[in-house]
Amino acid sequence: MNRVTKSHVTPPMYFPSMCTAPFFKVSVFDREHFQGKCLEFTSECCSIHDCGLDNIRSIRVESGAWVGFEHHDFQGQQFILERGEYPNWEAFSGSLSYHTERFMSFRPIYCASHHSSRMMIFERENFMGRSTELSDDYPSLQAMGWFKPEVGSMHVQCGAFVCYEYPGYRGQQYIMEDDKHSGDYQAWRNWGSHCQTPKIQSIRRIRH
């Protein structure tokens, strides 16, 4: 039988004054199916190596929503981690455009409110051109009336959203939050260090 070794890592907690989520907690394991060494976190981790792990193979999100990153210091491919169990890599990597088994840093997603989420998407960079307001889940932007497969810029007025490269919540993921960049994403290059295209074809809001 595999033995689970559990440790607690609880750096100082930070809660924005408007955040309605009372607590964040995630458990990460260095083997699949919640086996091997386990660490528990209640706030961000910028490098799992600094915490004694070589890689993360399974995850249990007990409270809050989190975003994982392919590289240290919150760089590279992003992975949305909402409450639930992720027994292996495929469970939390989703339908990515490429396969990689690296997960080196993660942090909570702080939302001003989980009851009211709103964002504006714009045709061109710097909030120019045609625009529309979103407040729910949209498995296909073009099916709901957006006229092109790209988005030039975005402004998150309230809450947090995850944007996907393809319809049906597939492809590269980009986490957009109202407390990052003051909610302003002036160009697709601001969506994440892994972003190489302005293509966005589905969006859904993040619920704590």
Side-chain angles (χ1 to χ4, degrees), residues 28-185:
V28 299
F29 301 79
D30 66 353
R31 299 182 65 180
E32 292 186 352
H33 301 286
F34 319 111
Q35 300 294 323
K37 186 174 182 179
C38 170
L39 297 179
E40 294 181 348
F41 294 84
T42 55
S43 62
E44 67 182 32
C45 171
C46 63
S47 172
I48 64 168
H49 285 169
D50 293 345
C51 299
L53 292 179
D54 292 328
N55 206 338
I56 294 174
R57 297 294 182 182
S58 53
I59 303 166
R60 181 178 288 121
V61 178
E62 300 183 42
S63 182
W66 299 69
V67 53
F69 295 85
E70 180 184 6
H71 301 302
H72 302 299
D73 299 316
F74 317 117
Q75 299 295 308
Q77 175 70 50
Q78 301 173 7
F79 310 97
I80 177 67
L81 301 169
E82 295 169 287
R83 188 172 181 176
E85 294 188 342
Y86 303 83
N88 51 39
W89 171 258
E90 288 78 11
F92 58 80
S93 64
S95 301
L96 299 178
S97 298
Y98 69 99
H99 184 78
T100 178
E101 293 191 8
R102 293 178 60 88
F103 189 167
M104 296 295 168
S105 57
F106 52 90
R107 61 172 176 80
I109 298 174
Y110 297 107
C111 301
S113 173
H114 66 284
H115 297 295
S116 176
S117 300
R118 297 190 311 277
M119 73 180 301
M120 296 289 297
I121 59 174
F122 296 82
E123 177 185 8
R124 299 199 300 272
E125 295 184 1
N126 298 310
F127 319 114
M128 303 294 289
R130 295 173 61 180
S131 65
T132 190
E133 183 176 87
L134 307 178
S135 59
D136 208 338
D137 299 338
Y138 302 90
S140 172
L141 290 183
Q142 289 185 287
M144 56 80 70
W146 189 247
F147 49 93
K148 58 192 303 185
E150 296 86 20
V151 173
S153 52
M154 307 184 197
H155 172 64
V156 181
Q157 299 161 297
C158 186
F161 293 81
V162 54
C163 302
Y164 297 84
E165 185 179 7
Y166 301 119
Y169 314 123
R170 296 178 299 109
Q172 300 280 355
Q173 303 175 17
Y174 312 105
I175 313 301
M176 308 295 178
E177 303 160 81
D178 59 4
D179 73 331
K180 299 294 180 183
H181 315 289
S182 299
D184 290 338
Y185 297 84

